[in-house]
Amino acid sequence: MKKRYITAVCCLLAAVLTSLCASLQAQQQRLAEKLIRLHVVANSDTREDQRVKLLVRDAVLEALAPLLEGADSALEAETLVQDNLAMVEAVA
C-alpha cells in the first residue's frame, strides 16, 4: 500500500512539473515575440573596454527608445531598426 501511495505522489508531482514547464515555455515564447536583443561586444575584458561597451549600449538604447515606443511587435521594431541602421551606427 505504501508503494502505491509513493508512486501516486511521484506521478502527480511529475504531472505538475510537466504542466509548469509547458506554461513557462509558452510564457517565454510570448515574451520572445515582443523583444529585440541588442548585443554590444567589447574589444576585450579590460575595464576600459567594458566601460566603453556600456556607454555605447546606453547611447544606442537612448537613441532607439523614442523610435521604438510605437512599435506593436518585435517584427515592426526590427523593421524600424533596420530602416534606421545608419543612425544606430552613427550613435554607436
Side-chain angles (χ1 to χ4, degrees):
M1 187 67 161
K2 191 175 184 181
K3 226 179 197 181
R4 285 185 182 172
Y5 177 73
I6 291 172
T7 302
V9 169
C10 287
C11 288
L12 180 61
L13 184 60
V16 168
L17 288 175
T18 301
S19 175
L20 180 61
C21 287
S23 173
L24 288 174
Q25 187 175 18
Q27 182 181 15
Q28 188 276 333
Q29 181 63 33
R30 286 189 304 272
L31 184 60
E33 292 171 1
K34 297 178 181 179
L35 297 177
I36 288 186
R37 289 183 64 110
L38 171 66
H39 192 91
V40 181
V41 180
N43 286 332
S44 71
D45 287 336
T46 65
R47 284 184 184 258
E48 181 61 19
D49 283 347
Q50 293 299 316
R51 186 184 70 78
V52 170
K53 174 185 79 171
L54 295 177
L55 288 172
V56 169
R57 179 202 63 189
D58 293 345
V60 169
L61 290 176
E62 187 177 325
L64 285 176
L67 182 70
L68 298 176
E69 252 178 41
D72 293 328
S73 68
L75 183 59
E76 184 180 344
E78 183 178 355
T79 302
L80 286 168
V81 172
Q82 288 291 335
D83 291 346
N84 293 280
L85 200 52
M87 182 269 295
V88 172
E89 290 174 350
V91 169

